[in-house]
Amino acid sequence: VKYLNAYTGTALLRCRRDCQRLLSSSLPLVRHLEGRGQRFPCALRVLHVGGTIRTCQKFLIQHNRRQLQLLLQSCTSEAERQCVQQSVLSCSLAEEQPQSGEEEEEDGTE
């Protein structure tokens, strides 16, 4: 597993090229995941097969954008639409400022 997002229910799996068909055909047969003594029901499906992790990441970005557009279109009121838009904007990543003592020296040595 190279990427897992519990909020969207998306996982990025990496395998060798010759094992791809076996993995793709076996994922829909998984009905439960077990961990820490608990059993979780699930339904797995293949959304995309790519040659590199980068192309898969690009696909996930496009897929999530399409899902957000569908979510916004299903809003029944303007207040609900504003709430969804505000939630999306609050999820953006902020750049962290380096703490004192962690900055790199001017000549490039650490």
Side-chain angles (χ1 to χ4, degrees):
V1 175
K2 289 296 186 179
Y3 171 78
L4 176 64
N5 188 330
Y7 296 109
T8 61
T10 306
L12 179 64
L13 303 175
R14 181 174 184 258
C15 69
R16 292 183 14 201
R17 183 177 293 197
D18 56 344
C19 297
Q20 175 265 325
R21 291 184 69 193
L22 178 64
L23 181 64
S24 295
S25 62
S26 63
L27 285 177
L29 302 175
V30 176
R31 298 287 178 227
H32 299 283
L33 295 175
E34 293 184 18
R36 297 186 183 139
Q38 295 180 353
R39 193 171 187 184
F40 303 99
C42 68
L44 304 177
R45 63 185 175 128
V46 177
L47 295 177
H48 177 76
V49 175
T52 64
I53 291 176
R54 183 178 172 109
T55 58
C56 292
Q57 289 172 334
K58 287 180 182 180
F59 171 80
L60 285 176
I61 291 168
Q62 291 299 319
H63 176 72
N64 288 336
R65 283 183 183 162
R66 285 190 299 266
Q67 295 300 316
L68 285 173
Q69 288 174 351
L70 291 174
L71 181 63
L72 284 173
Q73 289 173 355
S74 68
C75 292
T76 56
S77 68
E78 187 60 33
E80 192 175 298
R81 179 182 290 273
Q82 292 292 333
C83 183
V84 169
Q85 288 176 341
Q86 188 63 32
S87 323
V88 170
L89 292 176
S90 69
C91 293
S92 63
L93 295 175
E95 186 175 320
E96 291 184 25
Q97 299 295 325
Q99 295 178 359
S100 61
E102 292 183 6
E103 297 179 13
E104 293 184 17
E105 295 180 12
E106 292 297 320
D107 63 354
T109 60
E110 295 183 9

